[in-house]
Amino acid sequence: MKFFPLIAIALFLSFYGCAQPKPTYSIKDKRAIKAYEEALQFYDARSYEEAQAQLEKLVKDNPDFIEAHYMLAQVYDDRNQTAKAITPLKAALAINPEFFPAGWMMLAECYMAGGSYAEAEQAISKFMPYPKENAKQEKRAQLILSSCIFAKEAIQHPVAFNPVNMGEGVNTEAAEYYPCITADFQTLLFTRMVKDATNRQGYQEDFFISQYKDGKWQQSSPVVAINSPQNEGAPTLSADGQTLIFTACEVDGTWGKDRTGIASCDLFYTMKSGNDWTPAQNLGTMVNTGVWESQPSFSADGKTLYFVRGRYLAHGAQEQDIYYSVLNADHKWSKAEKIPGKVNTIFEESSVMIHPDGRTLYFSSDGHSGMGGMDIYMSRMLPDGSWDKPINLGYPINTAGREDSFQVTADGTYALFASDREGGFGKADLYSFELAESIRPKQVTYVKGVVSDKLSYKKLEAHLELIDLETGKVVVESYSNPGNGEFLVCLPSGKDYALNVSRSGYIFHSENFSLKNYTGIKPYQLDIKLQKLRPGSSIILNNVFFETNSFDLKPESKVELDKLAELMKLNPTMKFELGGHTDNVGADESNLTLSQNRANSVVKYLVSKGIPSDKLVAVGYGESKPIDTNDTEEGRKKNRRTEFKILE
């Protein structure tokens, strides 16, 4: 909670003589005043145990010493003994409530921390009539009052919440937290606090990974390629599990040549190659700064990184907000900015998670009305790209304590979080629970498969683009694993998509999907076989569309044809055929004419994009070369196609 940065600054200034030439105390006893000032020196040196012992004796011997009571409450709070702070606060206010009116606010904070909302509301109500020292104190007081009202109402209307421990494969007697999970629910990566006698703190943070098999999470293992003698934590996996962005904090002054940190805590990234990880690299100065960056979340489209940036204040307090940076077309990060909208406050935001739907943000904050401490909230993206007013996830998901480390699965059904609740394996464990409909994100699904060479079957690294056919915009961009060719592309439902897979020296591959009537997470499993660029190679242009019984190209065809034009420009010595095909509905002659006109339309478009006409041949085959039966609509649909072939 940390009273100091919020409300006790004025009190401490007067104690140290900054607000006036000479301190004026509530008592005259010089011996007691000297003991009090010694306690302040202990406190300033962060010797909290000594300060506490001195102050406890002082208030016992001098029960009317108001400053000593307040200072003791501050020490209790700094030592995470907030419940004990209530007694000295009540004592100080009973002596003279006018001496330091913000004491009522401190008392309200203590009651909130213990879930005593009626008492907290009474305390903060007594503080409200007093003048406020600054705008931040005014906002904090209003927030406490609104939170008391919210919390009492939330307790009367609890949300569904039945947390289940994720099991011995994941949890141990050590603390586990900050989970992240792939879109297919097969890989879980998280942070574990492990003992380390060589570390000056006696422990360090490392990454562990677990696979889901036979209905449970398997025994976790350390991510050896990334873990180091320093701290690694707060990871985010890309939806396909191929990119890992994480927080690493400098401890001994250096990270080595590949992991030099810009500040004490920076964001780093590593890519998966086969089953190994590449050396971690700093994300650079557009993301990392002289303060600390942590708790990243990478969007499923591979374009936007959300994270928390903060700075330390006096006595362990922090000031932090949620930022974002966009990966540009040249694969460089834009200068990070605060996310627009109503999420960030002048208080503390943390533990951000962008769901794979790209439009639902989950985060923790103590700056919005809630149950006290850090609550978990959800915000939806508005049409202008800003974030709407956050929604508290409700009680008992949120309590008077600190809730964070929150993740939601791609299908929006389950949430993961860390908790030190009773019945676990030790300290904080990872739990999952079914998420209520009202706080679920938009449904998504994913395309999963392997890219390989059509002839040699060699697994290939390839570039993948998922395109919204309605807008023509690339909504997801990714790469298959260079070691095993695997890929996973996550996408929102309710739209039609084109998938293009390309690699230098090969003809690109295209697929299209309709998810407009999607009603659940139903992955597409694809084996993409790429053909090398050589005479005789051919592909079906699955994302070239015409109006019914017409040779007019539909606008959504332009995305694929533009990619085809790029391929031709990269191979200027080659000659290409564009072949039109129809089904057998209608007269043979009419079908032949239609197919020729459609092939001509494609050639005309490519010429308009700068392809020399002497490099292109348009051929109409009509219904003469079917690739499927004409007895079904599905078969006829496949026969109505445009093919691309390399002639020479």
Side-chain angles (χ1 to χ4, degrees), residues 3-11 13 100 102 105 127-128 130-143 313 319 346-347:
F3 301 134
F4 187 89
L6 299 178
I7 53 180
I9 289 179
L11 184 62
L13 288 176
F100 186 58
M105 186 171 174
F127 176 63
M128 296 307 289
Y130 290 100
K132 310 302 184 292
E133 295 176 6
N134 50 52
K136 190 171 185 178
Q137 189 185 73
E138 174 74 39
K139 288 185 177 181
R140 189 66 184 176
Q142 292 289 349
L143 178 61
L313 303 174
E319 183 179 89
I346 60 174
F347 302 109

Side-chain angles (χ1 to χ4, degrees), residues 335-574:
K335 184 176 178 59
E337 300 178 4
K338 289 183 181 180
I339 61 172
K342 301 177 180 180
V343 168
N344 286 322
T345 68
I346 60 174
F347 302 109
E348 183 179 341
E349 279 69 50
S350 70
S351 193
V352 61
M353 186 257 178
I354 180 68
H355 187 265
D357 72 355
R359 307 192 68 82
T360 308
L361 198 74
Y362 295 93
F363 65 99
S364 295
S365 175
D366 68 351
H368 299 280
S369 298
M371 304 298 296
M374 299 291 287
D375 277 14
I376 302 167
Y377 299 83
M378 176 186 72
S379 177
R380 308 275 192 189
M381 181 181 283
L382 297 171
D384 64 358
S386 65
W387 294 94
D388 202 358
K389 183 179 179 180
I391 299 169
N392 190 294
L393 297 197
Y395 173 85
I397 296 175
N398 290 318
T399 67
R402 183 183 182 97
E403 277 74 43
D404 58 13
S405 297
F406 190 79
Q407 292 281 301
V408 177
T409 57
D411 64 0
T413 303
Y414 288 93
L416 315 180
F417 70 105
S419 174
D420 60 357
R421 63 187 58 235
E422 293 183 5
F425 287 82
K427 296 181 180 177
D429 281 357
L430 293 180
Y431 291 79
S432 66
F433 69 95
E434 189 170 353
L435 207 57
E437 290 282 351
S438 61
I439 49 178
R440 288 184 182 181
K442 186 177 180 180
Q443 287 185 325
V444 298
T445 188
Y446 57 92
V447 179
K448 185 177 184 180
V450 177
V451 181
S452 62
D453 184 292
K454 184 176 182 178
L455 296 179
S456 70
Y457 303 108
K458 179 184 177 181
K459 303 300 186 290
L460 300 175
E461 179 182 19
H463 181 221
L464 297 101
E465 289 181 329
L466 196 75
I467 300 152
D468 183 332
L469 283 173
E470 183 179 356
T471 64
K473 293 183 178 180
V474 176
V475 293
V476 178
E477 188 173 6
S478 184
Y479 289 85
S480 57
N481 186 304
N484 56 29
E486 294 178 356
F487 69 90
L488 186 153
V489 181
C490 196
L491 56 153
S493 59
K495 295 185 178 230
D496 292 336
Y497 293 98
L499 174 66
N500 284 327
V501 183
S502 59
R503 176 182 168 90
S504 178
Y506 287 80
I507 305 175
F508 68 84
H509 176 91
S510 64
E511 296 276 348
N512 60 69
F513 310 92
S514 179
L515 298 178
K516 286 190 173 180
N517 297 316
Y518 171 74
T519 57
I521 189 157
K522 182 182 178 182
Y524 289 92
Q525 184 72 39
L526 294 176
D527 289 325
I528 307 298
K529 301 186 186 304
L530 296 182
Q531 300 182 66
K532 285 188 175 180
L533 283 166
R534 59 179 59 164
S537 297
S538 65
I539 61 166
I540 297 172
L541 299 174
N542 286 310
N543 297 313
V544 172
F545 308 99
F546 296 91
E547 299 293 344
T548 303
N549 295 321
S550 168
F551 52 87
D552 293 332
L553 284 165
K554 286 188 175 182
E556 53 262 42
S557 303
K558 296 179 180 179
V559 175
E560 183 141 312
L561 292 179
D562 286 346
K563 181 168 283 292
L564 186 60
E566 291 176 16
L567 179 67
M568 292 176 172
K569 289 176 182 178
L570 291 173
N571 299 275
T573 62
M574 289 184 169

Side-chain angles (χ1 to χ4, degrees), residues 19-34:
Q20 49 192 15
K22 184 178 180 180
T24 301
Y25 293 104
S26 58
I27 64 172
K28 303 293 185 182
D29 190 320
K30 292 183 179 180
R31 182 177 298 179
I33 291 172
K34 181 180 179 182

Side-chain angles (χ1 to χ4, degrees), residues 583-584 628-640:
D583 57 28
N584 68 348
D628 206 334
T629 179
N630 277 306
D631 295 333
T632 66
E633 176 53 37
E634 186 64 28
R636 290 191 292 272
K637 182 179 179 182
K638 290 181 180 179
N639 290 332
R640 298 190 297 268

Side-chain angles (χ1 to χ4, degrees), residues 56-89:
E56 285 177 340
K57 183 177 186 305
L58 191 58
V59 297
K60 181 179 180 181
D61 296 339
N62 302 271
D64 294 332
F65 198 165
I66 298 177
E67 294 91 337
H69 284 293
Y70 279 123
M71 190 64 212
L72 179 57
Q74 180 69 59
V75 173
Y76 282 144
D77 183 62
D78 285 338
R79 301 194 70 193
N80 296 316
Q81 300 174 8
T82 305
K84 295 178 69 174
I86 292 175
T87 298
L89 287 173

